[in-house]
Amino acid sequence: MQVIITGHHLEITEALRANIDAKFAKLARHFDNVTDVHVILSVEKLVQKAEATLQLSGAKLFAEDHQDDMYSAIDNMVDKLDRQITKHKEKTNNHR
């Protein structure tokens, strides 16, 4: 799984990078067919925004979240992606 992290009006620190890598490693344990992840972190005035596009085999998932804290925005975004991945996994496994 390749994780690309981009920052708009924000410098990506090693702590942010390590946090994102740990969160997406947990997602990769749920579903093995994750190929690409593109994470965009941005700051607009006082709002921290985290969004990610996840490329699966056969699907493309997107999630975003706005919070006052970047780490909580990343956590909520990963939770949304986790729900989408489990839903996609259930859809693909229900065929016979």
Side-chain angles (χ1 to χ4, degrees), residues 18-82:
N19 185 12
I20 291 170
D21 287 338
K23 297 290 181 182
F24 281 103
K26 185 174 77 170
L27 281 184
R29 279 187 268 144
H30 289 295
F31 195 61
D32 295 334
N33 297 336
V34 178
T35 56
D36 277 341
V37 178
H38 189 141
V39 179
I40 300 172
L41 305 175
S42 61
V43 177
E44 298 173 4
K45 295 191 179 180
L46 298 176
V47 177
Q48 313 284 327
K49 180 180 175 184
E51 59 185 50
T53 305
L54 204 102
Q55 190 78 20
L56 298 174
S57 59
K60 192 176 205 180
L61 305 178
F62 176 79
E64 69 177 353
D65 195 61
H66 307 276
Q67 296 290 327
D68 292 335
D69 181 35
M70 183 60 76
Y71 290 102
S72 62
I74 292 169
D75 290 342
N76 291 342
M77 176 197 61
V78 170
D79 289 342
K80 289 178 184 179
L81 281 173
D82 189 30

